[in-house]
Amino acid sequence: MPKKAKDIWKQVDQYFAGALIAPGDGFDAALDANRKADLPAIDVTPLQGKFLEILVRATGARRVLELGTLGGYSTLWLARALPDDGVVVSLELEPRHAEIARDNLKAARLVHRTELRIGAAADTLAALVNEHAAPFDFIFIDADKAGYPEYLQWSLKLSRPGTLIVADNVVREGKVIDPENPDPNIQGVRRFTEMITAESRLSATALQTVAGKGYDGFVIAVVIR
Ligand code: SAH
Ligand code: DHB
Ligand code: MG
């Protein structure tokens, strides 16, 4: 990506975040804590976090499922949007990530609306199905991209007509369009997309995004039956 383009994307991000996210509302403390704990800086951006908040509010979701907690930055935006009896169940492989996330959620006084489950998402998703968990209203898929095809199948089992499914990082600087790319993350996203194509229960679109972090995008799907 040309450096100039990235610079302007970053400045535009800063412009809108400055205008639309009130000081103190951006969960910046969590981002600072994540940096200090040396977590990779792959959280959603502030404007993307607010996009998740808006989707949860607009759909009136009360049960949210997240795959890939990291330091809980996206979890915070999802949790903020919920009514007091709502819950974000967030799945994370790494115990250390979940620990940092729990601290961030506590500091933001949102931990009571969250349930962190540690383990490989394939296992914790299977456990949710086994427990006959109530369907989720909103699902944010953001764990390992190679797992997206499998996560889509589990997400459908944990959905109802009307459930919104959002998947992060589906563009990867445009690499998604190369069928020969050997990266399992790219192949995962491509297979995920093919599965949606073949799935009559889903209606889906994709949104390309640019930000200071780079060029990426979301798939947004709704369960229609
Ligand atoms: N949603 C976060 C970012 C998630 S980064 C945010 O925007 O703030 C991806 C996370 O998925 C990492 O914490 C990683 O440890 C976790 N992860 C990777 N493989 C996983 C797996 N198989 N099951 C569950 N989580 C996984
Ligand atoms: C990666 C993962 C993410 O969830 C993200 O938002 C950006 C990058 C990654 O694994 O590289
Ligand atoms: Mg992501």
Side-chain angles (χ1 to χ4, degrees):
M1 218 49 59
K3 186 177 176 303
K4 241 182 151 172
K6 220 168 172 162
D7 282 349
I8 196 158
W9 300 342
K10 187 173 194 160
Q11 287 170 37
V12 171
D13 240 36
Q14 285 167 351
Y15 167 72
F16 280 113
L20 304 177
I21 301 175
D25 278 354
F27 302 120
D28 291 344
L31 288 179
D32 288 346
N34 293 352
R35 293 307 83 81
K36 284 196 184 108
D38 265 329
L39 292 185
I42 55 176
D43 342 67
V44 291
T45 66
L47 289 170
Q48 289 168 356
K50 189 150 187 197
F51 176 60
L52 296 176
E53 173 185 336
I54 286 168
L55 290 178
V56 170
R57 287 192 193 278
T59 55
R62 292 168 58 174
R63 287 180 55 76
V64 174
L65 177 63
E66 174 176 68
L67 284 61
T69 317
L70 192 65
Y73 183 69
S74 52
T75 321
L76 285 162
W77 288 100
L78 294 165
R80 163 184 283 165
L82 291 174
D84 257 325
D85 62 344
V87 68
V88 185
V89 177
S90 187
L91 312 180
E92 173 55 51
L93 177 64
E94 299 291 340
R96 199 178 85 89
H97 295 182
E99 212 172 288
I100 295 162
R102 188 163 287 120
D103 288 344
N104 285 329
L105 289 156
K106 275 188 194 153
R109 299 175 181 279
L110 286 167
V111 74
H112 63 289
R113 290 186 202 159
T114 63
E115 189 185 318
L116 305 186
R117 294 197 177 203
I118 297 165
D123 297 335
T124 46
L125 287 161
L128 283 165
V129 170
N130 269 330
E131 288 163 24
H132 304 289
F136 290 92
D137 309 308
F138 186 94
I139 301 178
F140 180 49
I141 301 178
D142 195 22
D144 57 303
K145 317 310 166 197
Y148 277 26
E150 182 173 8
Y151 302 154
L152 181 67
Q153 297 299 6
W154 287 114
S155 295
L156 281 165
K157 288 190 207 298
L158 291 162
S159 296
R160 54 154 176 90
T163 297
L164 199 62
I165 299 174
V166 176
D168 194 20
N169 311 116
V170 300
V171 174
R172 310 304 289 248
E173 311 264 335
K175 294 190 188 88
V176 68
I177 61 173
D178 178 7
E180 312 299 334
N181 191 311
D183 182 343
N185 297 307
I186 303 299
Q187 289 305 323
V189 171
R190 289 182 60 88
R191 180 86 197 96
F192 170 82
T193 305
E194 287 158 17
M195 282 169 54
I196 296 175
T197 309
E199 177 51 73
S200 62
R201 284 174 290 175
L202 289 172
S203 176
T205 190
L207 286 182
Q208 303 188 64
T209 60
V210 296
K213 277 172 28 174
Y215 166 41
D216 217 320
F218 296 104
V219 158
I220 302 182
V222 64
V223 179
I224 54 174
R225 60 170 158 268

